[in-house]
C-alpha cells in the first residue's frame, strides 16, 4: 500500500499531502496548498532512480485566472524541461501587490547539468531525495555534503540551479543550508521530514 504523509505549513497558511511508494527509489504524487504570495494549489509527480536521484518531476500550479505546468526529465546526464501556461499569473501577482513571476521552466537547461536532485519550494517531501541519496538517514554525524539542485519556484514554476548543503547530525536529524538560511530538520527512520523549523510539521492521524 502507498504511504500517505501530511504536513502543515508553519511559515504560512497551507499544507501538503503526499502519496508514495519507496521500495526501489521513490515514486510520489502530492498536493500543496498555500495562500502566499497569492492563494494557489500545486500538484506534483516525482519519480527517482533506484539511488534516489531525481529522474522525472511534473508540477502543475493553479490559482484564480491562471495555470502553469513544468516537466523535468533527466536522461544521459541532461535535463529536458518543458512548460505550459494558461491565463495570467503576473496579473494576479501584481494585482495583489507582489512582483511578477519569472517565466516557467528555464531557457537554458544546461545550467542544471550538475543537479541530481529536484527541490520544489515549500515542499518537505523533496528533502527526502538528497537525504536518502547521500545516506544521511542513520549513523553518526557526517561531513557537510554540497550539492546542486534544480529548484522549482512556486507559484511561477521558474527552474533555477541552487547550491544546498546537507549535513548528517546523527540518527533522525540533518542540517540543511542554502545561502544564509539554515535549519535542523527532524526525520523519521525512512528519511521523511517530521519537523522542518520555519517551514512545516508532519501531522499524523490521531
Amino acid at each position: 500500500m502507498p504511504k500517505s504523509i501530511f504536513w502543515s505549513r508553519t511559515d504560512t497558511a497551507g499544507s501538503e499531502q503526499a502519496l508514495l511508494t519507496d521500495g526501489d527509489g521513490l515514486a510520489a504524487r502530492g498536493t500543496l496548498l498555500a495562500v502566499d504570495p497569492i492563494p494557489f494549489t500545486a500538484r506534483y509527480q516525482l519519480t527517482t532512480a533506484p539511488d534516489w536521484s531525481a529522474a522525472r518531476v511534473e508540477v502543475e500550479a493553479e490559482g484564480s485566472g491562471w495555470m502553469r505546468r513544468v516537466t523535468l526529465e533527466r536522461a544521459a546526464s541532461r535535463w529536458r524541461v518543458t512548460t505550459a501556461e494558461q491565463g495570467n499569473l503576473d496579473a494576479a501577482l501584481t494585482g495583489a501587490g507582489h512582483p511578477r513571476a519569472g517565466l516557467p521552466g528555464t531557457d537554458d537547461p544546461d545550467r542544471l547539468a550538475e543537479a541530481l536532485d529536484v527541490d520544489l519550494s515549500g515542499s518537505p517531501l523533496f528533502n527526502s531525495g538528497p537525504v536518502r541519496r547521500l545516506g544521511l538517514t542513520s549513523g553518526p554525524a557526517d561531513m557537510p555534503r554540497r550539492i546542486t539542485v534544480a529548484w522549482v519556484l512556486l507559484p511561477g514554476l521558474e527552474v533555477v540551479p541552487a547550491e544546498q548543503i546537507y549535513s548528517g547530525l546523527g540518527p533522525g536529524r540533518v542540517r540543511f543550508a542554502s545561502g544564509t538560511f539554515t535549519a535542523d530538520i527532524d526525520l523519521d527512520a525512512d528519511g521523511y521530514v517530521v519537523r522542518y523549523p520555519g517551514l512545516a510539521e508532519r501531522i499524523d492521524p490521531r
Side-chain angles (χ1 to χ4, degrees):
M1 291 289 292
K3 299 176 182 178
S4 176
I5 304 178
F6 187 95
W7 293 274
S8 176
R9 292 280 290 268
T10 57
D11 61 334
T12 185
S15 61
E16 175 180 357
Q17 184 193 20
L19 297 171
L20 56 96
T21 56
D22 56 6
D24 186 22
L26 177 64
R29 56 188 173 91
T31 302
L32 293 90
L33 302 166
V35 299
D36 289 321
I38 56 175
F40 69 89
T41 300
R43 292 169 285 273
Y44 62 79
Q45 295 189 55
L46 164 65
T47 305
T48 76
D51 69 352
W52 286 68
S53 60
R56 187 178 191 277
V57 177
E58 180 177 345
V59 185
E60 180 180 281
E62 185 175 15
S64 178
W66 62 273
M67 184 277 290
R68 286 186 172 190
R69 181 184 300 114
V70 65
T71 302
L72 296 87
E73 296 178 280
R74 183 173 174 82
S77 300
R78 297 190 67 184
W79 286 99
R80 180 173 180 264
V81 182
T82 57
T83 64
E85 182 175 11
Q86 297 176 10
N88 193 334
L89 170 59
D90 283 342
L93 286 168
T94 57
H98 299 289
R100 296 172 180 268
L103 294 174
T106 177
D107 58 1
D108 185 7
D110 287 341
R111 296 175 61 211
L112 309 174
E114 295 183 10
L116 297 178
D117 308 284
V118 173
D119 188 10
L120 178 61
S121 65
S123 169
L125 176 75
F126 280 73
N127 293 100
S128 297
V131 165
R132 289 289 296 267
R133 184 175 65 80
L134 298 172
L136 302 179
T137 54
S138 60
D142 197 11
M143 295 291 292
R145 311 285 190 90
R146 191 179 301 269
I147 64 173
T148 299
V149 303
W151 188 21
V152 182
L153 306 179
L154 285 172
L157 302 186
E158 182 182 4
V159 181
V160 298
E163 187 176 87
Q164 299 179 348
I165 301 172
Y166 281 82
S167 307
L169 300 179
R173 177 168 282 199
V174 297
R175 177 165 295 154
F176 171 85
S178 182
T180 60
F181 177 80
T182 301
D184 291 350
I185 303 172
D186 295 325
L187 308 168
D188 67 15
D190 295 319
Y192 299 111
V193 171
V194 174
R195 180 175 178 269
Y196 189 138
L199 180 69
E201 292 189 2
R202 191 159 85 188
I203 307 297
D204 293 322
R206 296 179 179 177

